[in-house]
Amino acid sequence: MEQIELNKKKEILFSPKPPFHFDATLHKPSHFPSSDNGWEKGKYWITMQWNNENLGLKLEDKGTISSPKVKITIYSEKELDKDFIEDLKKELEWRFNFNSDISDFSKKFKNDKVLGSIIKKWKGMRPVAANSVYETLIIYIVLQNATVRRSVQMLENLFAKFGSKLVFDGKTLSCFWISSEMAKVEEQELRDIKVGYRAKFLKRISEQFVNKKIDEFAMRNKTNEAIKKDVLKLYGIGPASVEYLLFEDFYRYDAFTTIPPWEQKILSMLIFKKPLVPTSKILKFAKRYGKYKKLAIHYIWEDIFWKRKHKSIPWLEKEIRL
DNA sequence: CATCAGGGCCCTG
DNA sequence: CAGGGCCCTGAT
């Protein structure tokens, strides 16, 4: 696979809207690992393609929850001009969700029976769309009907065949391909790297991006329903993927309408201490969080996965299909 | 060993 | 709108 050294660098300092929790925002322990990014306390690395440039990003925590500063070092092959940087800066603000004001949420629920103690730990946590919409949808497709290990394997196989490796800051990370490269291959070539029936989804969806069936920038200003309608036109994307996308890529903190079975089991335990509560009851419970209901669920959800990092939780292990 | 459902989705009837 | 099929894998 192609290896590209990124030797030029440029630093930008950002001031996210407080409260901002660096680690809980950038690292989601419930997500499966992917070689396009890496995390350690106070640091995060990810690759990115922007206006035909391969970029490596290094984010560093330079502030506090209430007075946040994030330094991003942008690594590239060649020197980047001023216009490129200006344009990129705006995109980074969006991708890392720096400008969302969630102070109201943490204030409102700091004494909530369920959320109170969680907010104390993770105040300032928010979703980030560190990947583009196309990349995120690829991830959702390999997630469908698969165990964690298989999802990881499929994504890594795809990186190996279509992606590249970017070398920066002592790291070597995978970088996604552009949609046109995947649109032109035969379905069989995808089947050969063991993505199964998803081969057709990956090819068709890449074609749809090439044909501009979707405009991720325009979608950022649309209503939840309008985004749903746009995204459901994509082949291989259904209601479950859309639900994830609305929250993770478009920051719709209120988008909580469907709960897949495994999440139902986990939320039942976390909220009601019972193995299985009807989804209608969970949805009804979440209503108390109003326009922040999905964000609230995100807090409850990620909190248990953070705990799991340093301590095994038997009932949870059972629900995670490794 | 075989069978089956699944961290979905598409297509058919 | 219900239900079969699909690449696989883990559970039974």
Side-chain angles (χ1 to χ4, degrees), chain A residues 143 239-241 243-244 256-268 276-279 282-283 294 297 301 319:
Chain A
L143 204 56
S241 302
E243 175 101 355
Y244 288 137
F256 187 50
T257 51
T258 58
I259 309 173
W262 79 293
E263 294 188 10
Q264 178 190 2
K265 290 175 203 157
I266 293 170
L267 291 173
S268 297
L276 195 63
V277 170
T279 55
I282 299 173
L283 291 168
K294 180 67 184 208
I297 296 294
W301 186 260
E319 303 305 341

Side-chain angles (χ1 to χ4, degrees), chain A residues 17-30:
Chain A
K17 282 212 171 68
F20 183 85
H21 193 301
F22 184 92
D23 293 309
T25 293
L26 290 158
H27 179 62
K28 304 298 183 191
S30 75

Side-chain angles (χ1 to χ4, degrees), chain A residues 275-290:
Chain A
L276 195 63
V277 170
T279 55
S280 57
K281 262 192 89 173
I282 299 173
L283 291 168
K284 203 173 157 204
F285 161 84
K287 269 192 176 168
R288 73 177 72 184
Y289 303 114

Side-chain angles (χ1 to χ4, degrees), chain A residues 62-217:
Chain A
K62 295 289 181 189
T64 60
I65 308 270
S66 54
S67 180
K69 297 278 177 209
V70 176
K71 183 170 97 179
I72 302 188
T73 309
I74 301 150
Y75 293 81
S76 56
E77 288 169 85
K78 56 178 202 224
E79 210 72 57
L80 304 170
D81 66 46
K82 211 170 169 176
D83 288 348
F84 185 99
I85 295 282
E86 271 314 300
D87 186 42
L88 176 64
K89 193 175 161 188
K90 285 200 199 77
E91 180 64 10
L92 295 177
E93 281 174 352
W94 167 267
R95 288 212 184 182
F96 298 108
N97 202 3
F98 287 148
N99 294 336
S100 176
D101 184 351
I102 53 170
S103 57
D104 181 42
F105 168 76
S106 11
K107 224 178 290 164
K108 228 170 171 164
F109 302 113
K110 68 167 190 270
N111 294 320
D112 183 81
K113 220 170 119 187
V114 179
L115 275 190
S117 61
I118 297 177
I119 287 180
K120 207 162 281 164
K121 272 183 275 178
W122 306 118
K123 187 173 172 180
M125 173 167 69
R126 58 192 68 201
V128 285
N131 292 103
S132 68
V133 169
Y134 174 71
E135 293 164 358
T136 305
L137 294 176
I138 298 291
I139 293 169
Y140 292 163
I141 287 172
V142 300
L143 204 56
Q144 293 168 10
N145 250 338
T147 55
V148 173
R149 204 173 57 197
R150 181 151 152 70
S151 295
V152 170
Q153 188 208 29
M154 285 190 276
L155 188 60
E156 295 307 318
N157 286 350
L158 288 166
F159 278 138
K161 187 167 169 66
F162 298 98
S164 57
K165 288 281 188 202
L166 303 185
V167 184
F168 65 102
D169 194 42
K171 302 254 166 203
T172 304
L173 294 176
S174 302
C175 186
F176 276 86
W177 53 95
I178 51 172
S179 52
S180 56
E181 286 170 32
M182 183 171 279
K184 67 187 179 204
V185 301
E186 291 299 319
E187 190 184 318
Q188 189 56 44
E189 294 184 60
L190 284 159
R191 284 189 174 263
D192 291 344
I193 54 170
K194 303 191 187 311
V195 297
Y197 65 86
R198 300 168 194 81
K200 194 160 68 166
F201 294 180
L202 293 167
K203 180 166 163 58
R204 292 265 299 261
I205 222 169
S206 297
E207 288 166 354
Q208 288 178 301
F209 268 81
V210 170
N211 298 330
K212 309 243 185 291
K213 283 274 180 274
I214 201 141
D215 178 349
E216 81 169 282
F217 306 102

